[in-house]
Amino acid sequence: MAEFRVSPISYLILGVSLIGMASVLQPLHFPTPEQSIHRRLQNSIDYHSTPPLSEVEKHLQSSPEDYQGMALAAEAAASSYEHEQSISLFQRLPSDGGQWEFIREYGIGKRCEAIDRFSEAEAHYRAALRLNPLHIDTNMRIGHILLCSGRAW
């Protein structure tokens, strides 16, 4: 009768697979406080509900460089029609000449457009386009503002 023998490489592959599964499932089942607040903010955006603003502000004071949380909080405030609060949260994002500055300018532009401050919205969209000239939604939004005001793109 042949004897079945497991090679050490099989154990190594099994160990690496288990570690990979644990690292993928960790945020879902055992989130860090930051991941937990990000999830609650995303749910507020998805379901158009008011985010827990006092909890968000407390988190942002303790983690002032959590730019993802700040951007999510701004979007959550906007989804519950708190546009001024959303603008103030977007303004706290850094001027890094990259992703966060683009998100700030684009987000403020959308909020200004929602509350009929079209000249401000145009200025913010132009700033966003300087950072990402091929962003489709920004181009469409500024084109719409220009069309409604009778100006050419």
Side-chain angles (χ1 to χ4, degrees):
M1 191 166 292
E3 186 178 310
F4 180 72
R5 188 162 184 246
V6 179
S7 73
I9 291 183
S10 298
Y11 286 117
L12 178 66
I13 291 171
L14 178 64
V16 168
S17 297
L18 289 174
I19 289 170
M21 286 175 36
S23 67
V24 167
L25 293 176
Q26 180 272 330
L28 183 62
H29 296 293
F30 307 103
T32 65
E34 189 171 279
Q35 291 166 335
S36 181
I37 194 122
H38 288 182
R39 185 182 309 155
R40 283 196 296 277
L41 287 168
Q42 188 62 53
N43 286 340
S44 294
I45 295 166
D46 293 343
Y47 299 113
H48 299 284
S49 61
T50 304
L53 296 176
S54 60
E55 183 181 345
V56 169
E57 195 57 45
K58 186 174 153 186
H59 168 73
L60 293 176
Q61 285 176 355
S62 66
S63 303
E65 293 191 7
D66 178 16
Y67 301 131
Q68 181 180 4
M70 201 171 301
L72 284 170
E75 286 296 334
S79 74
S80 56
Y81 305 104
E82 299 289 337
H83 298 296
E84 291 297 336
Q85 183 175 18
S86 177
I87 289 171
S88 72
L89 286 165
F90 275 122
Q91 287 172 335
R92 292 164 59 180
L93 290 172
S95 296
D96 63 351
Q99 173 188 1
W100 297 118
E101 187 172 354
F102 172 79
I103 290 171
R104 182 186 73 208
E105 297 298 337
Y106 175 67
I108 293 172
K110 283 174 53 177
R111 303 292 69 83
C112 288
E113 185 178 0
I115 56 177
D116 299 334
R117 295 184 350 208
F118 297 113
S119 60
E120 272 185 76
E122 179 185 346
H124 287 286
Y125 288 149
R126 288 190 188 281
L129 286 173
R130 279 193 292 279
L131 297 165
N132 186 354
L134 301 178
H135 190 259
I136 294 170
D137 195 49
T138 308
N139 278 292
M140 286 178 14
R141 287 177 177 276
I142 197 168
H144 182 257
I145 288 173
L146 294 171
L147 178 69
C148 289
S149 65
R151 294 181 288 156
W153 173 233

